[in-house]
Amino acid sequence: MGDIGRSAAGRELGMGRAISRRDFFDGVAVTAGAAALGASGGAGTAYAASSAPAAPAFRGNTSQALGVLHALRDGRFWQQADPPVPTGEAYDLVVVGAGLSGVSAAHEWLRRHPGARVLILDNHDTIGGHAQRPGSGSVAAPVTWTPEFRELLDRLGVVAAPCQECGADDSVMCDRETFPVETLVSTGASAAGWIGRLPVADAARQDLIRLHTDPPDPFPGLGPEAKQERLADLTYSRYLLDSLRVHPDAERFHRTLPSASWGYDTRVLGAVDAWGLGYPGFGGLGLDEGKPSRFSAPTIAKEWGVTGRVAHLPGGVHGLVRAMLDAMGGRARFRLSSPVVSVRNDGPPETATTATVGYFDGHEVRSVGAGAVILACWHSVVPYLVPDLPGA
């Protein structure tokens, strides 16, 4: 932007001149005000479960939502802004962020303190953060779910549907970038049946059938503990290629096996974790499948024996947010299109209000008092909101 501003084209557009305070706030107010027109549960209002808005169209991190935060990041905001104007309001809890994290924080706080005054502030114009579309965010894999999250689902009456029930895992697309011919292969039949239809070399088909039906023991001279330690030194890909010596096509076919659950492929996933997840190729090792290895990743060890690795929540992230909003029954107040610009501890610990939170309402910076503040926003924003944090 700086280079453009110094160019002839930039000067013609007025981009080379210093922006005035009025210009700055007029521009920010236009975007914030336009966003507020579409806000569900307007500024300072409580969420009404009976008038819950329909799942909104995808908007996400628009320029309207991020303009103030970008100015804060670039050091321009406080050059133009006046000090916060106190509203005189005090809350037991102020939550920064009305996404999944923020709503769940408010929900849990109110569960423990039903009479608490809670305010949630967000830079977006709708509740739910940047994941704003019907069914967005099929909340990850059960292997990453904590006991607290499972308890939350049970309390809300939300039932996750395993992939096997929704048919998302009953076939594999062999893409043209990886295989000679693009082919969709149904994996519902016996291994020998669907492996025979894969667009791979004949030797790879034989290796795949062996992996799924009768894998060998590549470490016959080692005991169980030593085998697990050996697996801990290998990725799943290296185990297939170097230890079992399968055809490269066979390793390539399995490469994306953990992608849906973990966001990375078998060249990163440890072989000991692949064994714990039940991936093919480990049956010949003779290891005890009833308990995790001490080398297994904690998230895998914690959920040992879980089946149906990827699950979907009804309505995705938005459905979970709505369920928590309904459970809160309007006890939390929301201010949308109200990006937080400052958070500071400025009261003695013995008082009820120990922090001040400043936010931009589209026209000026206003502030509220808080007994506690939860920053349920992007961690990268926190240093700009709390400049008093130590550098480290």
Side-chain angles (χ1 to χ4, degrees):
M1 190 70 167
D3 290 338
I4 296 175
R6 287 191 292 271
S7 69
R11 287 193 296 274
E12 284 183 18
L13 294 171
M15 298 169 73
R17 64 179 175 83
I19 186 169
S20 71
R21 182 180 186 279
R22 174 175 292 182
D23 290 336
F24 176 77
F25 280 113
D26 281 351
V28 173
V30 166
T31 57
L37 290 176
S40 58
T45 63
Y47 172 88
S50 60
S51 60
F58 177 75
R59 284 192 293 278
N61 289 321
T62 62
S63 58
Q64 290 91 342
L66 297 182
V68 168
L69 297 176
H70 284 166
L72 193 67
R73 175 199 63 190
D74 298 338
R76 295 180 286 115
F77 184 81
W78 291 112
Q79 292 175 3
Q80 305 291 339
D82 289 326
V85 176
T87 63
E89 299 169 81
Y91 294 88
D92 300 299
L93 173 69
V94 172
V95 180
V96 181
L100 178 62
S101 298
V103 172
S104 62
H107 173 267
E108 179 63 15
W109 191 281
L110 285 167
R111 187 179 74 85
R112 300 188 185 197
H113 310 285
R117 286 173 50 81
V118 176
L119 174 67
I120 305 177
L121 296 160
D122 197 273
N123 58 312
H124 297 90
D125 62 355
T126 50
I127 298 169
H130 63 277
Q132 285 296 332
R133 58 189 172 90
S136 64
S138 300
V139 184
V143 290
T144 65
W145 291 358
T146 63
E148 292 81 7
F149 185 65
R150 292 181 180 279
E151 181 183 345
L152 172 65
L153 295 183
D154 291 341
R155 195 160 53 241
L156 296 173
V158 175
V159 180
C163 272
Q164 286 80 355
E165 294 180 17
C166 64
D169 241 4
D170 62 356
S171 58
V172 175
M173 171 60 75
C174 299
D175 60 278
R176 65 171 59 91
E177 292 81 8
T178 308
F179 298 91
V181 180
E182 186 167 90
T183 308
L184 179 64
V185 178
S186 173
T187 57
S190 65
W194 61 262
I195 289 173
R197 295 191 293 275
L198 293 175
V200 296
D202 289 340
R205 292 194 184 96
Q206 295 301 316
D207 286 343
L208 286 168
I209 291 174
R210 184 165 51 96
L211 287 178
H212 282 265
T213 59
D214 187 27
D217 181 357
F219 314 128
L222 301 180
E225 177 77 6
K227 288 181 179 180
Q228 293 175 18
E229 188 170 3
R230 180 70 64 85
L231 292 178
D233 285 336
L234 299 168
T235 64
Y236 185 41
S237 284
R238 295 311 337 155
Y239 173 73
L240 294 176
L241 291 170
D242 298 344
S243 300
L244 295 182
R245 301 186 181 280
V246 303
H247 190 280
D249 283 359
E251 181 272 337
R252 194 174 297 115
F253 175 75
H254 283 307
R255 187 171 289 179
T256 59
L257 193 59
S259 295
S261 300
W262 299 94
Y264 48 73
D265 64 35
T266 55
R267 292 169 295 181
V268 176
L269 182 70
V272 71
D273 290 332
W275 164 69
L277 292 168
Y279 291 170
F282 299 95
L285 291 171
L287 298 177
D288 181 4
E289 298 180 358
K291 60 181 180 180
S293 166
R294 67 185 181 94
F295 301 108
S296 293
T299 48
I300 292 176
K302 181 172 58 181
E303 297 293 339
W304 197 252
V306 169
T307 57
R309 290 288 165 181
V310 178
H312 303 273
L313 300 180
V317 171
H318 190 267
L320 183 57
V321 168
R322 285 173 60 88
M324 287 187 287
L325 293 173
D326 289 341
M328 287 190 286
R331 290 177 292 153
R333 296 172 66 83
F334 289 81
R335 290 204 179 126
L336 305 176
S337 300
S338 299
V340 170
V341 294
S342 66
V343 180
R344 67 178 187 272
N345 287 314
D346 56 2
E350 62 272 12
T351 63
T353 302
T354 62
T356 301
V357 180
Y359 64 94
F360 184 68
D361 69 356
H363 303 284
E364 63 182 355
V365 179
R366 311 192 74 189
S367 66
V368 297
V373 180
I374 293 177
L375 299 174
C377 53
W378 283 341
H379 63 276
S380 59
V381 177
V382 173
Y384 303 102
L385 305 185
V386 193
D388 295 335
L389 287 175

